[in-house]
Amino acid sequence: MARNKPLNARDIMTAGAKCVGEHESLLDAAKLMRELHVGALPICGDDDRLQGLVTDRDIVIECVADGVDPASVEAGSLGGELHWIDADAPATDALATMEQHQVKRLPVIDVQNGHRLVGMISEANLAQNLSDKQIAEFASKVYAGAH
């Protein structure tokens, strides 16, 4: 069946993203990443609102490599700059946001229904839903400045 309506962020995201609480430790975040087989987790505040995103790389570079015990650091301390997309925004906007900010994962927020986290968009989601040309452009923009 042909789809007449362009894809939106909700159409391509992975639903049911789990958060690590901002007051939970980086050790807790790492264990949850292992359990879920993911490399990043949204950080949610006490109000269940998105506060940031922590990656496995953040934990290694910002904590472990400095000899700091990950059990002693709150996940919320590594939130960094936050980029997200409205669930109803066009999928091409998600792609543009990820390219512009050189991010490989993008939280999806349902602005119409309480501004809640409803999913995540990853490179795999893009690969499954966008054209080869769009994926190639994404890779060249996101990985061009990667070190």
Side-chain angles (χ1 to χ4, degrees), residues 55-68:
T55 68
D56 49 7
R57 185 176 193 281
D58 293 336
I59 294 170
V60 170
I61 301 297
E62 302 295 327
C63 179
V64 176
D66 288 336
V68 177

Side-chain angles (χ1 to χ4, degrees), residues 90-104:
T92 53
D93 287 3
L95 177 65
T97 299
M98 292 171 79
E99 288 175 350
Q100 177 184 355
H101 299 289
Q102 294 186 316
V103 296
K104 300 169 192 162

Side-chain angles (χ1 to χ4, degrees), residues 37-59:
H37 305 286
V38 297
L41 286 172
I43 301 167
C44 291
D46 295 333
D47 58 359
D48 287 331
R49 298 280 179 125
L50 184 65
Q51 300 295 317
L53 189 71
V54 63
T55 68
D56 49 7
R57 185 176 193 281
D58 293 336
I59 294 170

